[in-house]
Amino acid sequence: MSKIKIILVDDHTLFRSGIKALLSRQDDLEVIGEAADGLSGVKLAEQLSPDIVLLDLDMPVMNGREALAQILSANPQQTVVMLTVSEDSDDLTECMRIGARGFLLKNINADFLLESIRKAVDGDNVFSPEMTARLVQSLISPAAPPKNNELASLTPRELEILGYLASGHSNKVIARHLDLAESTIKVHVQNILRKLELSSRVQAAVYAVQHKVPQPGS
């Protein structure tokens, strides 16, 4: 079984050591690199192409938001999860807008972190429980109307899949529900992002909620 390759980007050496020790005890996880500032993290992600980057927000040289933007600019498919002490709603919504796969607080327990890493790599969005409530609250604000009739450009199948994205489902789960190949779902998601001029599935999920796209079971 191939291991999930992880990069830790955090300026607190003791915290990195603790997380690395936790992850090293898992048969399916491997820390392949560490960085103490955002700029070094950007370079490391480009050099090592990890499965996931765990990224702090408040760091020297380059903060987490800037590092997130640069990492995803170089590789839009890179999975990045913020792991931070910040409970600020603006930090949360900005990181989601840029394209982070999730937002976890450092007070989460070990099992929640391990489960979140695996889910994020599998395509799910992951949040600390208190941040999920704040994200939902941020989506209550009125959305701008779709420009150029964007939703009308989606096929019925793409619209259906957009609803699944809004529910936080991974490509694997969507494929199982729709009885399609996971590779087919991936192509549909790429088409959705292109047509809606979005850069990540998180942005697509936010867009879908704002524009009241029907979700499974609704």
Side-chain angles (χ1 to χ4, degrees):
M1 180 179 64
S2 61
K3 293 189 176 184
I4 294 173
K5 296 178 174 57
I6 304 165
I7 285 179
L8 304 176
V9 186
D10 193 293
D11 59 326
H12 291 96
T13 304
L14 190 60
F15 178 78
R16 290 201 317 273
S17 298
I19 296 297
K20 184 175 181 179
L22 169 67
L23 300 181
S24 67
R25 293 195 291 269
Q26 308 303 308
D27 293 337
D28 61 332
L29 306 178
E30 178 184 9
V31 176
I32 61 170
E34 300 177 55
D37 63 77
L39 181 59
S40 298
V42 170
K43 294 178 179 178
L44 204 59
E46 186 174 353
Q47 292 169 0
L48 300 181
S49 298
D51 296 307
I52 184 171
V53 178
L54 297 180
L55 182 62
D56 191 18
L57 268 174
D58 187 14
M59 293 181 292
V61 183
M62 177 185 290
N63 65 42
R65 286 183 300 278
E66 294 171 325
L68 172 65
Q70 290 206 21
I71 290 171
L72 294 180
S73 176
N75 179 10
Q77 304 305 315
Q78 177 67 67
T79 297
V80 182
V81 170
M82 311 309 294
L83 183 58
T84 177
V85 297
S86 174
E87 298 186 33
D88 188 277
S89 296
D90 290 339
D91 285 337
L92 168 66
T93 53
E94 178 64 10
C95 288
M96 293 303 99
R97 184 194 66 78
I98 295 171
R101 186 64 57 80
F103 199 101
L104 303 175
L105 299 180
K106 290 182 177 179
N107 63 4
I108 58 175
N109 63 45
D111 288 340
F112 192 93
L113 175 60
L114 297 173
E115 182 182 14
S116 295
I117 290 172
R118 296 175 179 120
K119 284 185 173 181
V121 171
D122 198 33
D124 288 342
N125 302 327
V126 294
F127 303 95
S128 292
E130 52 268 65
M131 301 315 290
T132 300
R134 296 187 186 195
L135 181 62
V136 170
Q137 184 63 36
S138 74
L139 299 179
I140 294 175
S141 58
K147 58 184 179 180
N148 299 326
N149 206 16
E150 292 163 333
L151 284 177
S153 70
L154 301 183
T155 66
R157 178 65 85 186
E158 289 167 351
L159 195 61
E160 183 179 21
I161 291 173
L162 181 58
Y164 277 98
L165 294 180
S167 298
H169 293 302
S170 66
N171 288 353
K172 182 181 296 183
V173 172
I174 298 172
R176 187 166 64 245
H177 279 292
L178 299 182
D179 195 23
L180 295 171
E182 189 175 348
S183 58
T184 300
I185 300 300
K186 183 176 181 180
V187 171
H188 281 308
V189 171
Q190 291 172 342
N191 288 338
I192 291 168
L193 296 180
R194 175 178 54 79
K195 290 180 179 180
L196 299 183
E197 298 181 5
L198 303 172
S199 60
S200 74
R201 60 192 298 122
V202 174
Q203 292 178 5
V206 171
Y207 180 100
V209 172
Q210 288 180 323
H211 294 96
K212 297 180 172 58
V213 173
Q215 298 181 33
S218 62

